[in-house]
Amino acid sequence: MSVNKVILVGNVGKDPEVRHLDSGVAVANFPLATSESYTAKNGERVTTTEWHNIVLWRGLADVAEKYVTKGRQLYIEGRIRTRSYDDKDGNKRYITEIYGDSMQMLGTKADNQGGGTQSSQASQQASTPTFNEPEIEEPAGDDDLPF
Amino acid sequence: MSVNKVILVGNVGKDPEVRHLDSGVAVANFPLATSESYTAKNGERVTTTEWHNIVLWRGLADVAEKYVTKGRQLYIEGRIRTRSYDDKDGNKRYITEIYGDSMQMLGTKADNQGGGTQSSQASQQASTPTFNEPEIEEPAGDDDLPF
Amino acid sequence: MSVNKVILVGNVGKDPEVRHLDSGVAVANFPLATSESYTAKNGERVTTTEWHNIVLWRGLADVAEKYVTKGRQLYIEGRIRTRSYDDKDGNKRYITEIYGDSMQMLGTKADNQGGGTQSSQASQQASTPTFNEPEIEEPAGDDDLPF
Amino acid sequence: MSVNKVILVGNVGKDPEVRHLDSGVAVANFPLATSESYTAKNGERVTTTEWHNIVLWRGLADVAEKYVTKGRQLYIEGRIRTRSYDDKDGNKRYITEIYGDSMQMLGTKADNQGGGTQSSQASQQASTPTFNEPEIEEPAGDDDLPF
DNA sequence: TTTT
DNA sequence: TTTT
């Protein structure tokens, strides 16, 4: 029917917060910054930063919990989702989030080690793999398309 | 530094509103719907619709004014931008918009004519061209890269 | 590790050819045209067409067999794959193909009916759904979705 | 009319070769590797590498000449272009290339310095900016297109 | 507020 | 070999 796709390369603003729903499903939240620079009319170089609310589910949330840390450069592919909630005064408010379907750690080991040891299995792998969210609509054995 | 890219294919919810700033710059706003379907646990087919606030500037706003109409299927490539404003009670609120950098009319003439005549120059062209926003950072003669 | 992503909106050049491997896996092949227009120095409008070799596997190949026809406007998301083969003179040759991971029929019913009847279940539905390739690496069984 | 978009994140295979056409236009060529890993039926982890022929024009070619080096991780956004040429036996052959419209250096300074000094103006800045190709359709003076 |  |  349609396409709702977001591609971001940016830097993590804070370590992820990871919650576990009653169902056991993990959800991770963290801000990701992208920035744009342009030269204003007066010749000055201006940089603006955009903050994206990243939401990751299940396996990707687990990955985030293990490998995503403040400052890290990430590639995120996902979709836009705006949801409403009631604020403390009972007013309806909206928040737009990016549900990540795929994530990449960017940069090489050097960037991503902090104090970690080079031989750490985790930190070594953190610099490489792509992580994909299995698509929710596609059950195992999806050959019997419902349309 | 980073990438902030959105790709949408969806349907226009309302005819665009086009304003002209004091500077003469045109701005168009309209909602675009994307929808997602999946099969719930109980086997029911569920469709959710996401509404995107599209903002187009300058030439793209002019194009929107001429060719974009309610119901039309569009391809939009752009970037996410969240801005704040004060609501009527003086509270700070946020709205996330998609600034379009490129736009495509999708479908063929048949879709896009309504009651219009086939020979109408406008409706005929409406079904084809791609429109690109010249990049604001890139003035004429951009060879003197600032780095 | 990396990202290899292609997004195409174009027109199908020929009806798909669908083969079934010994394993039973279906594979569909068809050409997709994208075109670009620009104004040449002499003021003439020039259009160039690019042909993409689309390859779809399994469920997407089945969908292509049923719904994709010459002339149809499609959205394809996938990845680039170059493979080598030996031509009839024993020379190694290369061909670049687009492996589709997701496909969209674009336009509305009007476009996609040809001479077909409006009540045809198939052609009517053909104008809407998104089809996704389940990712091969992702095992079965992550069904406890929280939404 | 259509969309022909490629998004790559990968590693540069060789230092760019930069040529200057008679018109003075710069062209850079280099290979970029993306890799995919998946678990085969037998449980083994398999990695396949895809090589992309990157072509950059004008300002982007200049940037490539200065900052792009073997091993570097890059984000490239562009389009697919297949062209034919005659091989040494007079046979027509095809090659598919990625014309880059936008490029990002990924990773942080640490990755990209090799033995270089941190204070090097070039290498320091190399880790950040986005570079965009002014769109060819857009007049304002970059008219001597080689194609 | 769209589309199927 | 498509589409406008």
Side-chain angles (χ1 to χ4, degrees), chain A residues 27-122:
Chain A
V27 194
N29 289 270
F30 59 88
L32 188 79
T34 58
S35 26
E36 245 184 302
S37 296
Y38 62 96
T39 305
K41 283 187 190 173
N42 61 13
E44 266 184 62
R45 197 76 187 159
V46 180
T47 297
T48 63
T49 296
E50 189 66 35
W51 286 98
H52 308 272
N53 304 301
I54 306 296
V55 182
L56 303 175
W57 296 90
R58 287 171 292 273
L60 279 184
D62 296 336
V63 172
E65 190 163 32
K66 285 191 201 134
Y67 304 122
V68 172
T69 51
K70 181 176 168 174
R72 184 122 202 197
Q73 190 181 36
L74 287 188
Y75 170 93
I76 297 262
E77 191 178 322
R79 52 195 197 278
I80 301 174
R81 187 80 161 258
T82 299
R83 63 180 172 81
S84 65
Y85 64 97
D86 294 322
D87 70 10
K88 60 180 176 8
D89 302 325
N91 295 313
K92 199 168 198 173
R93 299 233 174 189
Y94 295 88
I95 182 169
T96 296
E97 299 171 312
I98 306 303
Y99 280 29
D101 294 311
S102 175
M103 176 165 67
Q104 292 276 352
M105 311 292 172
L106 298 179
T108 60
K109 274 173 298 187
D111 303 302
N112 304 314
Q113 277 167 352
T117 69
Q118 189 125 345
S119 56
S120 148
Q121 181 71 345

Side-chain angles (χ1 to χ4, degrees), chain B residues 40-104:
Chain B
K41 278 189 195 178
N42 60 14
E44 266 183 64
R45 197 76 187 160
V46 180
T47 298
T48 62
T49 294
E50 189 66 34
W51 286 99
H52 308 272
N53 303 301
I54 307 296
V55 182
L56 304 175
W57 296 89
R58 282 169 291 271
L60 278 184
D62 296 337
V63 172
E65 189 163 33
K66 284 191 201 134
Y67 304 122
V68 172
T69 51
K70 180 176 169 174
R72 188 126 197 191
Q73 191 181 36
L74 287 188
Y75 170 94
I76 297 263
E77 191 177 322
R79 53 196 196 276
I80 301 174
R81 187 78 161 262
T82 299
R83 62 180 172 83
S84 65
Y85 63 98
D86 293 323
D87 69 10
K88 59 181 177 7
D89 303 325
N91 295 313
K92 200 169 198 172
R93 299 233 172 189
Y94 295 88
I95 183 170
T96 297
E97 298 171 312
I98 307 302
Y99 279 30
D101 293 312
S102 175
M103 175 166 66
Q104 291 277 351

Side-chain angles (χ1 to χ4, degrees), chain C residues 136-137, chain D residues 37-46:
Chain C
I136 44 179
E137 306 91 315
Chain D
S37 296
Y38 62 95
T39 306
K41 282 188 190 173
N42 61 13
E44 265 184 64
R45 197 75 188 160
V46 180

